[in-house]
Amino acid sequence: MCERCGAPGDIVHHKEYITPGNIHDPNITLNHENLEYLCQTCHNREHHGSGEDTVREGLAFNGDGELVRE
Ligand SMILES: [Zn+2]
Ligand SMILES: [Zn+2]
């Protein structure tokens, strides 16, 4: 279940975004305080301010609307 809207959950979002600098830090990547289970829509809204785009963790749309790795 999505923690924000109750829809079927899809993605574990990290509140503190994963970066190359902290990806090996379990206090960030595995800390439940830092995790939020979201549906695709809420996750996209969190990252992109819109529920329109459907992208997976680690992927994003660039300025041209092309799917790229974050
Ligand atoms: Zn949701
Ligand atoms: Zn996320």
Side-chain angles (χ1 to χ4, degrees):
M1 292 264 290
C2 172
E3 292 182 24
R4 295 192 188 183
C5 74
D10 240 349
I11 290 173
V12 177
H13 168 67
H14 292 82
K15 295 174 186 173
E16 170 100 35
Y17 290 5
I18 301 301
T19 68
N22 68 17
I23 194 165
H24 296 300
D25 183 352
N27 287 324
I28 298 293
T29 59
L30 300 177
N31 184 353
H32 281 223
E33 300 283 299
N34 192 43
L35 302 179
E36 196 173 15
Y37 196 48
L38 300 179
C39 69
Q40 190 97 62
T41 301
C42 290
H43 190 242
N44 289 340
R45 190 170 291 137
E46 170 68 28
H47 282 262
H48 306 292
S50 155
E52 301 298 314
D53 299 332
T54 55
V55 293
R56 292 272 166 192
E57 191 79 271
L59 296 175
F61 286 104
N62 66 16
D64 297 326
E66 294 170 329
L67 201 59
V68 296
R69 293 204 168 273
E70 280 182 325

